[in-house]
Amino acid sequence: MRLLIAFMWLLHWLPLPILGRFGVAVGSLLFIAMPTRRKIALTNLRLCMPELTEAQRVALARQHFQAYSRSVWERSILWWSSEARLNRLIKKVPAFPGQQIAAKPTILLCPHFVCLDVAGAATAMEISASSMYVQQKNAAFDQALRNGRSRFKPPKLFTRQDGIKTILRALRDGLPYFMLPDMDFGEKDAEFVPFFGVPAATLTATARLALAAKAQVIPVIATFLPNYQGWQVTYYPAWDDYPGDDITAATRRMNEFIEERVREAPAEYFWTHKRFKTRPEGEASFYNQHK
């Protein structure tokens, strides 16, 4: 792992078009070499995009592997390149909403697109924020990841064991919370709400935090710019009347927003995660049914 991190450090000196194409090539190989992850991606795409042909889904899954690989190698730029270079490569649309964030408690909602670390870096160059962090199994990679994500304005990192009270305290102290809301962590603190029409165990924490902290929710999503020109980080308008008085409806609204963004950049969503792993009682697993 230390050799791999050293290799990534060397890669950050490359021009982005060369580094990006390298990532795409590696992703094409990984699509072939990782049948288990390929199966998960194709299962998700069958569930979420039944309107596509199987050939179209296979092509989209391959593009996802290429995009994901590319994002991993391009992370070297986020971790070691100068702030000036990052500002040249990251296009913020619109400008960073600093005054709006400073005005009241803020949840920055960042769904699992492959470039989410770009959204984190773009935000960290502007303000300190807080986020949930899962310690990596490899100590060297864990340290590199922490250093890479902490090189600008220092973040406050929580673990799932810290609980919601520490996040609420940070929000009330004016520290925005960078939230990744769309992974399947089981039934605890989750409800089954539709995601692309399929019941998905979805954390209700976004709505509950917004309600408890009287916080605004500002979605932020990073995607690739065309022709290896860099990345676009889009800060969406804060959601009106959120969460309202119905936590389930608010959670469904969040999923609907994510669906819309996925359709805009379908190859860049994190399809290799078992998004539908947890099933309602009596339902069989989706991930044992397809070859």
Side-chain angles (χ1 to χ4, degrees):
M1 182 55 69
R2 293 184 186 278
L3 287 174
L4 179 61
I5 293 170
F7 179 59
M8 288 184 68
W9 179 84
L10 290 172
L11 289 179
H12 94 275
W13 297 104
L14 290 175
L16 183 56
I18 296 176
L19 180 56
R21 286 180 172 89
F22 169 76
V24 167
V26 173
S28 298
L29 295 175
L30 292 176
F31 180 74
I32 298 169
M34 301 180 71
T36 300
R37 288 292 169 182
R38 183 175 70 240
K39 174 184 173 182
I40 293 169
L42 288 171
T43 299
N44 285 333
L45 288 169
R46 290 184 187 109
L47 292 167
C48 295
M49 298 188 176
E51 70 278 6
L52 299 181
T53 66
E54 185 66 6
Q56 288 172 322
R57 287 191 287 265
V58 170
L60 185 55
R62 182 181 292 106
Q63 292 166 14
H64 169 67
F65 272 74
Q66 294 168 344
Y68 183 74
S69 170
R70 179 182 164 187
S71 74
V72 171
W73 298 109
E74 290 180 1
R75 201 175 288 171
S76 64
I77 294 177
L78 303 178
W79 289 358
W80 292 294
S81 285
S82 68
E83 195 167 338
R85 185 185 183 193
L86 288 179
N87 280 320
R88 290 194 300 270
L89 291 173
I90 297 174
K91 178 182 178 184
K92 298 174 186 176
V93 180
F96 180 77
Q99 289 186 337
Q100 184 180 8
I101 290 172
K104 64 182 299 186
T106 301
I107 296 169
L108 294 169
L109 190 86
C110 186
H112 277 83
F113 285 76
V114 296
C115 293
L116 63 88
D117 275 271
V118 179
T123 301
M125 286 191 290
E126 302 282 353
I127 57 170
S128 292
S130 64
S131 187
M132 193 72 68
Y133 182 79
V134 178
Q135 185 171 357
Q136 305 299 301
K137 293 179 180 178
N138 183 279
F141 182 72
D142 185 76
Q143 189 61 49
L145 186 61
R146 281 178 174 269
N147 291 344
R149 290 180 174 177
S150 305
R151 58 188 295 242
F152 302 114
K153 305 290 191 300
K156 187 176 183 64
L157 301 177
F158 305 113
T159 67
R160 295 196 77 197
Q161 289 69 40
D162 289 328
I164 197 170
K165 289 184 179 179
T166 55
I167 300 170
L168 281 171
R169 193 176 303 118
L171 280 167
R172 289 166 177 160
D173 288 343
L175 200 63
Y177 181 56
F178 204 81
M179 187 165 195
L180 284 62
D182 55 332
M183 297 193 86
D184 187 335
F185 289 109
E187 294 188 58
K188 181 177 171 58
D189 299 323
E191 292 190 24
F192 286 101
V193 297
F195 186 60
F196 285 93
V198 182
T202 307
L203 293 173
T204 58
T206 303
R208 290 187 292 110
L209 275 174
L211 183 64
K214 296 181 173 57
Q216 61 185 340
V217 175
I218 298 178
V220 52
I221 294 177
T223 51
F224 293 116
L225 287 171
N227 302 318
Y228 303 95
Q229 296 174 22
W231 310 277
Q232 176 170 303
V233 177
T234 304
Y235 294 93
Y236 290 84
W239 287 344
D240 293 329
D241 303 319
Y242 189 87
D245 55 6
D246 187 333
I247 296 297
T248 302
T251 305
R252 187 181 302 116
R253 177 180 172 185
M254 178 186 75
N255 275 2
E256 289 170 353
F257 173 85
I258 296 171
E259 286 178 32
E260 292 170 0
R261 305 290 78 78
V262 170
R263 292 196 180 278
E264 293 168 355
E268 298 181 40
Y269 191 64
F270 198 49
W271 294 115
T272 52
H273 167 64
K274 291 184 178 181
R275 183 63 186 88
F276 305 102
K277 175 178 61 177
T278 304
R279 306 310 312 137
E281 186 175 355
E283 280 197 17
S285 170
F286 290 122
Y287 298 102
N288 298 325
Q289 298 176 4
H290 299 291
K291 295 182 180 179

